[in-house]
């Protein structure tokens, strides 16, 4: 056990990790049961009404949804087929180094850190699985000992995370997600390229870019593909398992097929919009420039980068960052002051922080007694100035987040964009 690691925290995290695996594994029975409810409701109708609906092909539609769920389930099962790669053997070290890297065409496998500090996530996320509900509150974490009594039964919350993971794949790794993705990622990448416009492509690898809250890793991958050294950071086990799979276990473009829109029958113009398949990935994740340095670090942003020891250059996160890109991230803070202080502290002098996103405070009204500081946009920017940033290029970018573009409902975020340089 590494010094300073609390065994209870390790056991709790181990239990949480296993529950996430259980959620992936139990997606099929859970989701098929939901579809079966529709079947039961149909059979509860009068024969006449049933006949009318049968005439519309409603029963066949339910059967097609079952088939799509099974395809999703087989994809999700592949993601969690080898969970031991995450090194959750709590009897060993609490923090394990796991290679989640990719071999660059140069042949060198990049070392990846996978510090297992993944945490409970708030339920207030940018994805809107139901238009009328914003669920709040803590992720229910059974006590580690409860885990031993029997197989964990995933909650609606867990299953919502699994369904969101499928939609996140569309955002990050499909052709269908390109428009949404580029609305957010392109302004960030353009600003990065502009900031380092005097650096030739072959020297970009000397510049270190951090992407906290990296989700499924596409933005970090894109930045590495531009030639920069890039590290993504993420704490959700759902995201970490899924990004590991797509980054390291993909041999072909469009290798996998998923049906991300079969979980809700609401706001659909027609059957095709629900039963459309999406192929992933749209690019080969191993296709990064030779010698690129691309890594994903697992764990809580504040714990990893807030506690970094500047005196210890052997720590991978200890060096100063030349750029930090935050995409739909800063509002995940319980305490935005701390987030901004850390971003400021770990940037190199003259380094740039580029941000895009809304202010959907993830911990607002949480039921887990977590603190939550909720500022408006003006306050966030003033805070950033006081912490030592000079904010430039402020604008609003309209963009969606894991939206079904073919649905009858679409949320548009008027996301705030800026570049901020470290003054002091
Ligand atoms: C709204 S999502 C955005 C994901 C990605 N940047 C994108 O635009 O698709 C926020 C991400 O930040 C992650 N996250 C939230 N708080 C975090 C923390 N304290 N440390 C690391 N990751 C965190 C969440 O798990 C989630 O994947």
């Amino acid at each position: 056990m590494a010094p300073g690691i609390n065994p209870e925290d390790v056991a709790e995290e181990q239990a949480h990790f296993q529950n996430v695996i259980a959620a992936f594994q139990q997606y099929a029975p859970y989701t098929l049961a939901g579809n079966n409810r529709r079947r039961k409701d149909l059979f509860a109708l009068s024969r006449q009404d049933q006949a009318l609906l049968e005439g519309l092909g409603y029963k066949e539609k339910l059967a097609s949804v079952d088939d799509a769920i099974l395809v999703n389930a087989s994809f999700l099962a592949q993601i969690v087929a080898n969970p031991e790669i995450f090194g959750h053997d709590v009897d060993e070290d609490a923090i394990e180094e796991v290679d989640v890297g990719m071999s660059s065409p140069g042949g060198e496998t990049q070392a990846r850190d996978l510090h297992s500090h993944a945490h409970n996530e708030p339920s207030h996320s940018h994805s809107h699985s139901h238009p009328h509900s914003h669920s709040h509150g803590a992720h229910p974490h059974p006590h580690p000992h409860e885990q031993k009594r029997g197989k964990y039964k995933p909650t609606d919350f867990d299953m919502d995370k699994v369904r969101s993971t499928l939609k996140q794949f569309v955002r990050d790794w499909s052709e269908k997600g390109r428009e949404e993705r580029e609305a957010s990622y392109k302004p960030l990448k353009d600003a990065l390229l502009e900031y380092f416009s005097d650096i030739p492509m072959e020297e970009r690898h000397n510049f270190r870019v951090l992407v906290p809250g990296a989700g499924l890793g596409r933005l970090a991958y894109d930045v590495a593909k531009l030639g920069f050294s890039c590290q993504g950071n993420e704490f959700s086990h759902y995201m970490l398992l899924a990004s590991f799979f797509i980054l390291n276990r993909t041999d072909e473009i469009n290798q996998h097929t998923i049906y991300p829109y079969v979980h809700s029958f609401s706001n659909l113009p027609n059957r095709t919009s629900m039963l459309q398949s999406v192929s992933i990935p749209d690019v080969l994740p191993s296709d990064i420039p030779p010698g690129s340095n691309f890594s994903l670090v697992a764990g809580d942003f504040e714990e990893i980068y807030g506690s970094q020891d500047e005196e210890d250059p052997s720590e991978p996160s200890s060096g100063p960052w030349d750029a930090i890109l935050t995409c739909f991230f800063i509002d995940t803070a319980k305490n935005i002051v701390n987030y901004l202080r850390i971003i400021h502290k770990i940037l190199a002098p003259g380094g740039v922080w580029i941000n895009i996103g809304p202010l959907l405070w993830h911990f607002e009204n949480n039921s887990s007694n977590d603190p939550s500081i909720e500022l408006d946009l003006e306050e966030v920017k003033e805070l950033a100035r006081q912490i030592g940033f000079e904010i430039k290029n402020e604008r609003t970018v309209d963009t969606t987040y894991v939206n079904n573009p073919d649905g009858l409902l679409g949320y548009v975020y008027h996301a705030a964009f800026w570049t901020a340089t470290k003054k002091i």
Side-chain angles (χ1 to χ4, degrees):
M1 177 79 49
I5 302 291
N6 179 344
E8 280 216 356
D9 289 350
V10 174
E12 188 184 343
E13 191 192 318
Q14 164 81 356
H16 177 51
F17 182 70
Q18 275 159 4
N19 295 347
V20 171
I21 306 255
F24 276 87
Q25 287 168 338
Q26 291 176 51
Y27 162 85
Y30 188 101
T31 315
L32 288 171
N35 204 34
N36 231 9
R37 190 273 306 154
R38 296 189 181 100
R39 218 169 258 119
K40 275 194 213 139
D41 292 349
L42 175 67
F43 291 137
L45 298 182
S46 67
R47 284 192 176 281
Q48 201 185 6
D49 287 3
Q50 280 188 47
L52 271 173
L53 293 173
E54 265 181 43
L56 301 180
Y58 189 66
K59 253 166 81 177
E60 285 83 47
K61 182 160 89 172
L62 296 183
S64 305
V65 167
D66 279 350
D67 293 343
I69 289 168
L70 292 175
V71 174
N72 286 342
S74 118
F75 173 68
L76 294 168
Q78 291 178 59
I79 293 177
V80 293
N82 301 104
E84 67 278 2
I85 50 169
F86 280 79
H88 271 268
D89 184 351
V90 286
D91 294 326
E92 304 289 331
D93 290 329
I95 297 178
E96 307 211 9
E97 299 262 320
V98 177
D99 180 11
V100 295
M102 304 177 307
S103 295
S104 69
E108 179 198 358
T109 298
Q110 310 296 327
R112 309 289 170 256
D113 316 314
L114 208 141
H115 294 281
S116 294
H117 276 298
H119 272 227
N120 56 325
E121 304 126 50
S123 54
H124 202 161
S125 75
H126 292 105
S127 72
H128 296 269
S129 52
H130 194 285
H132 306 300
S133 73
H134 285 269
S135 54
H136 299 274
H139 186 286
H141 270 212
H143 190 275
H145 302 304
E146 285 172 36
Q147 186 69 19
K148 297 203 176 89
R149 284 193 214 124
K151 203 168 184 192
Y152 176 67
K153 194 167 172 292
T155 60
D156 286 344
F157 180 92
D158 299 325
M159 241 0 114
D160 199 41
K161 291 276 175 195
V162 176
R163 293 187 293 256
S164 296
T165 304
L166 288 171
K167 289 195 194 155
Q168 201 83 30
F169 270 116
V170 182
R171 173 176 171 83
D172 262 18
W173 293 105
S174 78
E175 187 51 43
K176 187 167 183 75
R178 176 195 290 273
E179 197 178 324
E180 173 181 295
R181 179 168 70 238
E182 286 303 286
S184 290
Y185 298 175
K186 193 168 182 300
L188 294 169
K189 290 185 283 181
D190 286 350
L192 182 72
L193 287 172
E194 196 185 319
Y195 196 77
F196 293 103
S197 56
D198 52 336
I199 309 296
M201 166 84 179
E202 45 308 343
E203 280 174 34
R204 284 189 196 145
H205 66 273
N206 294 320
F207 292 82
R208 302 181 71 199
V209 182
L210 177 66
V211 180
L216 290 187
R218 179 58 179 265
L219 175 61
Y221 164 84
D222 282 358
V223 169
K225 191 131 167 71
L226 290 172
F228 294 95
S229 284
C230 189
Q231 186 170 96
N233 159 241
E234 176 56 57
F235 80 166
S236 156
H237 286 308
Y238 292 92
M239 293 295 110
L240 290 166
L241 283 159
S243 60
F244 177 86
F245 179 75
I246 204 76
L247 289 168
N248 295 287
R249 297 284 180 269
T250 305
D251 314 313
E252 277 172 41
I253 287 176
N254 293 335
Q255 187 174 342
H256 308 284
T257 301
I258 54 174
Y259 293 87
Y261 305 119
V262 290
H263 305 112
S264 167
F265 279 40
S266 297
N267 283 316
L268 293 163
N270 52 42
R271 198 165 297 190
T272 323
S273 62
M274 177 171 64
L275 287 168
Q276 61 186 304
S277 64
V278 175
S279 302
I280 53 169
D282 63 316
V283 290
L284 204 53
S286 58
D287 178 19
I288 50 172
S292 291
N293 190 354
F294 172 36
S295 61
L296 280 183
V297 169
D300 180 89
F301 170 69
E302 290 179 83
E303 283 186 25
I304 293 180
Y305 302 95
S307 63
Q308 71 173 13
D309 181 357
E310 279 165 2
E311 256 81 81
D312 182 4
S314 66
E315 270 292 306
S317 60
S318 67
W321 296 93
D322 299 294
I324 298 180
L325 308 190
T326 49
C327 183
F328 279 69
F329 176 69
I330 60 170
D331 53 3
T332 66
K334 293 177 192 168
N335 174 6
I336 183 70
V337 184
N338 207 31
Y339 263 33
L340 299 197
R341 270 217 195 95
I342 294 171
I343 292 173
H344 185 265
K345 184 180 133 204
I346 65 176
L347 268 179
V352 67
W353 165 38
I354 312 172
N355 176 68
I356 194 167
L359 293 176
L360 178 64
W361 295 108
H362 282 216
F363 283 90
E364 186 175 25
N365 301 329
N366 71 79
S367 56
S368 49
N369 282 332
D370 279 299
S372 177
I373 306 296
E374 296 131 14
L375 304 187
D376 60 39
L377 184 57
E378 270 179 26
E379 289 166 338
V380 169
K381 290 197 274 198
E382 185 48 33
L383 177 67
R385 285 186 198 102
Q386 291 192 18
I387 282 177
F389 286 107
E390 185 181 353
I391 300 181
K392 295 177 205 155
N393 304 325
E394 293 171 60
R395 60 181 198 267
T396 300
V397 176
D398 284 357
T399 179
T400 57
Y401 191 88
V402 295
N403 178 51
N404 178 357
D406 306 320
L408 299 179
L409 176 87
Y411 279 95
V412 174
Y413 287 100
H414 309 302
F417 175 91
W418 63 76
T419 60
T421 42
K422 179 169 174 167
K423 277 193 305 184
I424 42 174

